[in-house]
């Protein structure tokens, strides 16, 4: 992803063979990556959203944490995965929406069960999600459905202003 592109640029700029030796060694290159992510990339994405009115969509894999809860028992909690833990919180705090992609069983017209992929828009103890808007708790994991939810939100905001 974008982190690997930043790594590649640093290695090229410093003419280094590894991130461990780039920027003077001792892992200093990773501080440069952190700085580029939080002080260059994130503000640029916010600018695209706020000044240009663009939708910024970032995709990430999930990291899974085992949670031991004395009331609910053991369960898994899913968060967006990123190499540096601080990035996730910064990106989540800045984002208008964080969706969790998952599947669930549904009944079809012919009476059998089929797996349907969806975005969850509200956080639970099982996964991280966020929705600053009035989107439904679940959106079909389909590009057209996501675009439609964003368009509907824009129309609702236009009517309010």
């Amino acid at each position: 992803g974008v982190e690997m592109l930043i790594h590649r640029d640093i290695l090229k700029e410093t003419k280094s063979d590894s991130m461990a030796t780039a920027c003077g060694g001792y892992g200093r290159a990773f501080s440069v990556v952190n700085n580029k992510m939080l002080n260059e990339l994130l503000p640029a994405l916010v600018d695209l959203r706020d000044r240009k009115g663009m939708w910024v969509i970032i995709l990430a894999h999930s990291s899974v944490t085992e949670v031991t809860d004395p009331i609910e028992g053991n369960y898994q909690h899913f968060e967006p995965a990123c190499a540096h833990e601080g990035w996730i919180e910064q990106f989540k705090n800045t984002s208008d929406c964080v969706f969790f992609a998952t599947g669930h069983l549904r009944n079809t017209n012919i009476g059998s069960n089929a797996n349907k992929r969806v975005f969850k828009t509200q956080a639970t103890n099982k996964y991280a999600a966020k929705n600053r808007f009035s989107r439904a708790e679940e959106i079909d994991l389909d590009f057209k459905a996501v675009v439609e939810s964003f368009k509907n939100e824009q129309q609702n905001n236009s009517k309010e202003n």
Side-chain angles (χ1 to χ4, degrees):
V2 72
E3 182 186 357
M4 290 298 114
L5 294 174
I6 293 172
H7 284 208
R8 186 193 67 200
D9 288 347
I10 290 170
L11 293 174
K12 187 176 176 182
E13 288 171 15
T14 61
K15 297 179 173 94
S16 299
D17 294 329
S18 75
M19 290 296 288
T21 60
C23 301
Y26 303 102
R28 287 187 186 110
F30 295 105
S31 294
V32 173
V33 173
N34 190 48
N35 184 53
K36 286 182 178 287
M37 289 289 279
L38 296 180
N39 298 322
E40 293 178 25
L41 178 65
L42 187 57
L45 296 175
V46 169
D47 187 55
L48 287 174
R49 180 194 64 198
D50 294 347
R51 224 171 36 83
K52 304 267 185 181
M54 295 175 73
W55 304 331
V56 178
I57 299 173
I58 300 171
L59 303 176
H61 289 279
S62 294
S63 63
V64 183
T65 305
E66 292 292 327
V67 178
T68 302
D69 185 314
I71 296 170
E72 294 198 29
N74 298 345
Y75 61 88
Q76 294 179 324
H77 178 78
F78 295 85
E79 285 274 341
C82 203
H84 192 282
E85 206 169 296
W87 298 346
I88 291 302
E89 288 310 309
Q90 289 287 338
F91 277 86
K92 282 178 13 185
N93 289 339
T94 305
S95 299
D96 292 324
C97 303
V98 175
F99 298 154
F100 178 71
T102 188
H104 65 81
L105 295 177
R106 64 181 169 92
N107 291 326
T108 62
N109 293 337
I110 56 174
S112 65
N113 288 329
N115 198 354
K116 178 181 176 185
R117 302 283 293 161
V118 295
F119 281 123
K120 298 289 191 171
T121 68
Q122 305 293 324
T124 71
N125 63 339
K126 303 240 168 55
Y127 53 82
K130 174 181 170 182
N131 181 4
R132 286 189 185 158
F133 304 113
S134 55
R135 287 190 173 83
E137 283 189 38
E138 189 173 286
I139 302 170
D140 286 347
L141 202 159
D142 171 79
F143 184 72
K144 288 179 184 176
V146 172
V147 168
E148 198 61 36
S149 82
F150 277 86
K151 284 182 179 177
N152 289 341
E153 190 61 43
Q154 277 184 326
Q155 289 172 349
N156 291 340
N157 287 341
S158 296
K159 289 176 187 174
E160 291 172 9
N161 295 331

